[in-house]
Amino acid sequence: MKIKKLSIPSSFISICWFSSLFAICLFSFLYLHPRDNENCINILNFNESKTTINTSSKYFSNDTSSEKGVPIKENVNISTNNNNNSNNIDIVEKNEVKLLNESSPFIEMPTKNEKIIEEEIIEEDDDNIIPSYDVFANPPSNCTKEERIIWLKEKLQESKLVKSTSKTQNFEEKIQGFLGNNCKVKIFLTWIFHANLFGKREMFVLESILKAHHDGGCVVILSRTMDSNPGRAVLQPVLDRGYRVLALAPDYQYLFSDTPGQGWLERLNAGEVDPGTVPITLNLSNLLRLAVLYKYGGVYFDNDMVILKDVSKLRNTIGIQSVDRKTGTWRTMSNAMLSFDKGHPLLWRFMEEFAWNFDGFKWGFNGPNLATRVVSKALNDSKYQFNLIAPIAFFPIDWKKIPQLFEKPNKNGPKDKFGEINGESYGIHLWNRQTQSLKIQNKSVIGRLISKHCIICQNIYDS
């Protein structure tokens, strides 16, 4: 008896194969994939003392814009007011501008799963306590709005971040006493990481600022972590040389008072603001720089910008960060360098935009993107008088190309830009997130710039 072979249609086999594959994928997703949104608050309230510190928590910029803005004209010194600027950097003229796509400007992006080391959690009577975690490092990403607000309220209460404490209550007295000490130019930095992360490159930046403003420059570092014994130890080498530097824990309640930031902070504390998924400390830094300039006037720098020249003559100025090479029009502003008089209306408008349209989900939305949105509209408003300064001033090279400046020049490589940058720029943004892992090579452009503009100059080529 012959046994007939059973013929199975190929289509049926295909269906079975795909069904099996689908079942395996579904099983993997349901049972193997971590479900972060399940019991969100309990998951996030892990033992934070075990959180690993990422000592390289800096940021880079990602330019995807193709929109047009104000034309950049070479060798033109024009501003939004009628006062001639005495510096030799081109100022951009006021012109009709197109409002940029909010998703297009340079956006500060974090590393994946990075731990942002912000405020030092310290007892008021002991500045030597150094915690191993930052309670704001990992905001919940797969939670409801209510769960995110509950999480933030718990962390704010635990850290006392925005509350006036015995450490911050004398803020006004301290800062006025410091700035009243024959300061010709007031310079502000913020530091939202641990004091131990204020490393060699940050010191090079600080040294360059102090050297460029050796005659009457006063630097205030707004930071709870640096206003401590560990922080003062970091700054001691420049303090011993007579430079005027003050690390001061900011009093957010006072600094935001009588500004648009006050209502936003009150709503934040009351649980009426969705903090989003961007660490709230980053957004507080964005608002803090605006508030301190509004209250006192002066210059703000990011802590990864090497300064090459005295900027005291730059008044009411914000830097253009990027330009469309094809059209010659500006694309994005930057809040990495701000120079404004006390009470300037543009600062108030920046803070209004922050408070009214706060978005805690988009990186850079409340920082450089905010500056771009506001400037786009304010350029043609006569009540705002301010200057835009061309990218050569502080952004002579973008983040994609700056790694070249950390390398030793070679004959077949790109043109050596040392002379151009040292001669024409006020400073250079290092784009730390892009370059932090790069060693400064001997005879590199960055190495030579730092060597020329540092004070202590310790181990430049080991950093």
Side-chain angles (χ1 to χ4, degrees):
M1 178 179 178
K2 294 183 179 180
I3 300 176
K4 294 183 177 180
K5 294 182 180 179
L6 183 63
S7 177
I8 301 175
S10 59
S11 58
F12 178 80
I13 296 175
S14 299
I15 292 173
C16 292
W17 188 86
F18 281 111
S19 298
S20 301
L21 181 62
F22 175 80
I24 293 171
C25 293
L26 181 63
F27 175 86
S28 299
F29 177 81
L30 292 177
Y31 297 99
L32 301 180
H33 189 274
R35 289 170 287 173
D36 294 339
N37 59 340
E38 181 176 319
N39 199 9
C40 172
I41 298 299
N42 290 335
I43 290 174
L44 287 163
N45 288 336
F46 57 86
N47 183 358
E48 290 167 315
S49 63
K50 296 180 180 180
T51 302
T52 302
I53 293 179
N54 181 347
T55 60
S56 59
S57 51
K58 305 297 188 295
Y59 305 94
F60 74 97
S61 296
N62 183 17
D63 181 12
T64 59
S65 171
S66 60
E67 298 293 332
K68 299 178 182 180
V70 177
I72 302 296
K73 298 184 177 181
E74 295 182 1
N75 302 320
V76 178
N77 184 14
I78 311 175
S79 68
T80 61
N81 56 34
N82 296 323
N83 297 327
N84 291 328
N85 199 306
S86 59
N87 63 74
N88 62 350
I89 302 294
D90 295 348
I91 302 292
V92 179
E93 67 177 348
K94 181 172 70 173
N95 205 337
E96 180 180 356
V97 237
K98 295 182 180 180
L99 187 60
L100 301 182
N101 184 331
E102 292 176 350
S103 65
S104 64
F106 278 75
I107 300 175
E108 293 183 343
M109 302 291 291
T111 54
K112 184 177 180 181
N113 297 326
E114 81 173 347
K115 308 295 187 293
I116 298 176
I117 309 304
E118 201 279 331
E119 300 290 346
E120 182 181 22
I121 311 304
I122 53 178
E123 298 295 333
E124 294 303 316
D125 59 350
D126 189 354
D127 282 344
N128 289 301
I129 294 178
I130 304 178
S132 60
Y133 64 92
D134 165 35
V135 297
F136 300 99
N138 298 293
S141 58
N142 294 311
C143 297
T144 66
K145 175 181 177 180
E146 291 72 21
E147 288 172 329
R148 286 190 297 271
I149 289 174
I150 291 172
W151 179 86
L152 181 65
K153 289 185 73 173
E154 291 178 352
K155 301 308 177 186
L156 288 175
Q157 183 177 4
E158 175 185 343
S159 67
K160 301 179 182 179
L161 173 62
V162 294
K163 289 189 175 184
S164 295
T165 66
S166 59
K167 191 178 186 68
T168 65
Q169 284 171 352
N170 295 324
F171 177 86
E172 169 68 0
E173 180 182 347
K174 291 177 181 178
I175 197 170
Q176 289 288 15
F178 179 73
L179 296 178
N181 185 23
N182 298 320
C183 292
K184 295 181 180 179
V185 55
K186 295 171 284 188
I187 300 169
F188 299 95
L189 309 175
T190 63
W191 183 252
I192 63 172
F193 311 105
H194 195 280
N196 286 359
L197 295 180
F198 199 93
K200 290 180 181 179
R201 292 195 187 176
E202 287 74 31
M203 279 301 296
F204 294 149
V205 167
L206 178 60
E207 291 174 32
S208 71
I209 293 171
L210 293 170
K211 187 170 183 176
H213 305 91
H214 60 89
D215 184 18
C218 298
V219 177
V220 178
I221 302 175
L222 297 167
S223 170
R224 284 176 67 192
T225 60
M226 296 298 288
D227 186 5
S228 64
N229 288 339
R232 284 184 283 273
V234 172
L235 300 175
Q236 201 59 48
V238 290
L239 293 173
D240 288 343
R241 287 164 172 79
Y243 290 97
R244 285 176 281 190
V245 184
L246 175 67
L248 190 57
D251 187 335
Y252 291 97
Q253 302 278 355
Y254 168 75
L255 284 167
F256 294 170
S257 65
D258 301 320
T259 76
Q262 180 177 359
W264 178 84
L265 185 62
E266 291 172 353
R267 295 195 303 275
L268 184 75
N269 286 324
E272 299 173 3
V273 174
D274 187 344
T277 54
V278 176
I280 197 65
T281 47
L282 274 179
N283 282 319
L284 281 169
S285 174
N286 285 325
L287 185 57
L288 179 60
R289 69 191 67 179
L290 302 174
V292 75
L293 290 180
Y294 187 81
K295 294 268 185 179
Y296 301 101
V299 182
Y300 167 83
F301 291 125
D302 270 1
N303 48 56
D304 59 347
M305 186 173 287
V306 174
I307 301 304
L308 312 175
K309 292 181 178 63
D310 187 333
V311 302
S312 59
K313 293 182 180 180
L314 294 182
R315 296 276 302 280
N316 303 321
T317 300
I318 183 171
I320 295 174
Q321 184 166 282
S322 66
V323 174
D324 189 313
R325 292 184 179 275
K326 293 182 179 180
T327 63
T329 56
W330 71 270
R331 298 161 74 175
T332 56
M333 295 295 108
S334 173
N335 65 341
M337 189 294 300
L338 301 167
S339 178
F340 283 93
D341 294 341
K342 176 181 177 180
H344 195 280
L346 189 64
L347 295 171
W348 183 274
R349 182 66 192 92
F350 282 150
M351 289 187 284
E352 281 184 333
E353 174 69 15
F354 183 99
W356 294 349
N357 297 309
F358 176 82
D359 189 329
F361 291 92
K362 300 176 183 177
W363 288 91
F365 185 86
N366 309 303
N369 291 13
L370 180 151
T372 302
R373 296 193 304 273
V374 171
V375 167
S376 296
K377 298 177 181 179
L379 272 174
N380 296 310
D381 192 329
S382 59
K383 70 179 179 181
Y384 302 109
Q385 297 293 318
F386 62 98
N387 300 317
L388 302 182
I389 196 165
I392 185 63
F394 294 99
F395 306 96
I397 190 167
D398 65 32
W399 67 273
K400 295 178 182 178
K401 296 180 180 179
I402 197 167
Q404 300 171 358
L405 303 190
F406 283 74
E407 301 171 357
K408 183 178 180 179
N410 62 78
K411 295 180 180 180
N412 298 323
K415 178 183 176 182
D416 189 332
K417 289 184 173 292
F418 173 80
E420 175 185 341
I421 295 172
N422 190 61
E424 299 183 29
S425 299
Y426 279 104
I428 180 169
H429 197 256
L430 297 183
W431 306 113
N432 266 358
R433 180 59 186 86
Q434 182 71 10
T435 61
Q436 60 184 338
S437 63
L438 301 179
K439 183 178 179 180
I440 301 175
Q441 296 183 14
N442 189 34
K443 296 183 180 181
S444 65
V445 172
I446 293 298
R448 284 180 286 161
L449 286 172
I450 291 176
S451 297
K452 186 173 180 62
H453 297 278
C454 60
I455 297 171
I456 303 170
C457 310
Q458 184 177 8
N459 300 325
I460 294 174
Y461 296 105
D462 290 336
S463 63

